[in-house]
DNA sequence: ACCTGAACACCGTTCAAGT
DNA sequence: ACCTGAACACCGTTCAAGT
């Protein structure tokens, strides 16, 4: 009883509502899917009126854009971690694997990151820079693999090819367009596809 | 005046409402984007109450699923057409190009086809079979390129790799994650990426 | 400065009723 | 058999008002 006013205060002026909303959103994301994450439901979960969210985010796109930006940050981190200490010849394979398994572990987040929500100009700069950084990490890895400068056309092309391939593979699997046989590990599946490319270029 | 009853009849019993709804949806799709296509707006455009749509489609997903299925049919057709008469060594490149430019010409449709709307079981059989047919076309082309039987593991792997790559490339471009330089044609862009792969495997 | 309630325009979907 | 209107539960977003 004596806590009534205190509790009311707590829920009225939360203070760090922005981060509470973001982490609630992240928690709900994988349950409800990338398209059905609503400002109202997220606010509800935090225990705050849905209009409160609009003091911290301009709109739903911005909220969801922050989530996506964090996703790219995580992805860049994972890529860098897995790359550390990997011998040169294995770098592409290791990066592809790290990328693919990040996508599989966070399917809804991954769909958000590459989904149709930020098609054009309605995109926050935070997302744009996080994205760029993740792609930068990829280019860095490819540059080391090829032993070329990261700014060369060759590295850019190879990074684009590698990104396209792994992103495509992850996207097809996540959307159930392609179903990897149940007995096959992520590792073997990525290898299968890389091997497939090798045989295309062998001819 | 004398046409009043006739007109009423026309809009009451349209008869082929199903196809009218689908073509209205297809028309709106590229304008409003893949996520914002609503049953209500489509029905409005046809001039019919939105509940009428529910006599022809179980729900929004089914309506939008039919659209996606038609997309896969078109894609399969385009691939087959472009492949006809292409010399063996050029088959992969031609197919990649046909695929990529289909995606670029129909960005919203493409996003729908590979979007998050049909993540799991809520998918109609029509879509599943159209998809399978499009992938079958791809496998056929790869099989001819490699001069192997379409059922071999090698062809399956190569088709998976090729599909992943081109789908990934198209997806990155459509979502503005990667922006091909304005002065570069689709053709050169696809070539750049294929060339990038070649240099990855040259090492 | 930060939060709320009421309100508006839009959804998907259902159900009883009309032709 | 096919279509409609009213209704419900959900959205995003805005605005005037509270603390």
């Amino acid at each position: 009883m004596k806590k009534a006013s205190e509790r009311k205060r707590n829920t009225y002026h939360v203070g760090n509502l922005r981060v509470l909303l973001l982490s609630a959103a992240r928690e709900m994301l994988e349950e409800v899917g990338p398209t059905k994450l609503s400002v109202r439901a997220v606010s509800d979960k935090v225990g705050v009126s849905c209009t409160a969210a609009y003091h911290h985010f301009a709109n739903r796109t911005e909220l969801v854009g922050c989530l996506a930006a964090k996703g790219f940050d995580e992805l860049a981190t994972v890529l860098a971690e897995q790359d550390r200490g990997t011998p040169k010849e294995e770098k592409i394979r290791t990066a592809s694997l790290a990328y693919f398994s990040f996508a599989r572990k966070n399917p809804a987040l991954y769909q958000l990151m590459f989904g149709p929500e930020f098609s054009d100009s309605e995109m926050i700069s935070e997302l744009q820079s996080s994205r760029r950084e993740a792609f930068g990490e990829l280019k860095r890895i490819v540059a080391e693999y090829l032993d070329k400068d990261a700014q060369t056309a060759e590295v850019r092309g190879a990074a684009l090819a590698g990104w396209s391939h792994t992103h495509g593979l992850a996207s097809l699997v996540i959307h159930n367009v392609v179903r990897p046989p149940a007995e096959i590990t992520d590792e073997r599946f990525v290898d299968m596809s890389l091997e497939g490319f090798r045989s295309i270029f062998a001819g």
Side-chain angles (χ1 to χ4, degrees), chain A:
Chain A
M1 272 305 193
K2 70 174 178 190
K3 295 220 169 180
S5 67
E6 189 185 309
R7 194 186 295 152
K8 197 170 181 193
R9 268 222 129 175
N10 281 349
T11 59
Y12 200 93
H13 261 220
V14 280
N16 58 341
L17 184 53
R18 190 190 156 89
V19 339
L20 286 183
L21 287 168
L22 279 173
S23 70
R26 176 71 190 261
E27 268 181 60
M28 300 177 68
L29 180 57
E30 296 294 337
E31 283 172 44
V32 304
T35 59
K36 278 169 204 152
L37 192 72
S38 75
V39 180
R40 287 180 114 114
V42 171
S43 309
D44 252 34
K45 173 148 185 164
V46 174
V48 91
S49 92
C50 78
T51 47
Y54 285 86
H55 285 92
H56 302 271
F57 302 95
N59 46 37
R60 195 196 103 105
T61 305
E62 195 175 300
L63 167 56
V64 119
C66 285
L67 237 47
K70 286 171 129 196
F72 278 105
D73 292 343
E74 281 182 46
L75 176 57
T77 304
V78 166
L79 288 174
E81 277 175 7
Q82 294 292 314
D83 182 62
R84 218 191 324 274
T86 301
K88 208 191 287 182
E89 322 81 58
E90 287 289 309
K91 274 180 185 292
I92 298 289
R93 184 175 173 270
T94 301
S96 297
L97 213 69
Y99 189 105
F100 185 76
S101 75
F102 172 84
R104 292 219 72 179
K105 270 181 212 140
N106 311 279
L109 178 60
Y110 191 82
Q111 282 176 283
L112 206 68
M113 290 160 63
F114 294 95
E117 318 246 11
F118 325 106
S119 31
D120 42 79
S121 59
E122 48 181 347
M123 200 187 30
I124 53 177
S125 59
E126 206 170 328
L127 174 54
Q128 203 136 7
S129 69
S130 291
R131 240 190 212 173
R132 212 183 294 277
E133 209 189 327
F135 188 39
E137 189 58 39
L138 230 58
K139 271 196 289 198
R140 216 214 64 228
I141 293 172
V142 172
E144 287 181 6
Y145 170 81
L146 290 179
D147 240 330
K148 302 262 158 85
D149 188 273
Q151 300 309 319
T152 58
E154 188 180 351
V155 167
R156 286 183 60 85
L160 177 63
W163 194 7
S164 292
H165 169 252
T166 315
H167 166 62
L169 196 66
S171 169
L172 290 175
V173 168
I174 283 177
H175 292 114
N176 272 324
V177 179
V178 160
R179 247 172 304 281
E183 75 276 10
I184 278 186
T185 64
D186 281 4
E187 202 167 333
R188 276 219 357 103
F189 191 67
V190 171
D191 280 341
M192 265 178 54
S193 193
L194 286 171
E195 202 50 52
F197 246 115
R198 205 167 264 123
S199 80
I200 285 179
F201 289 124

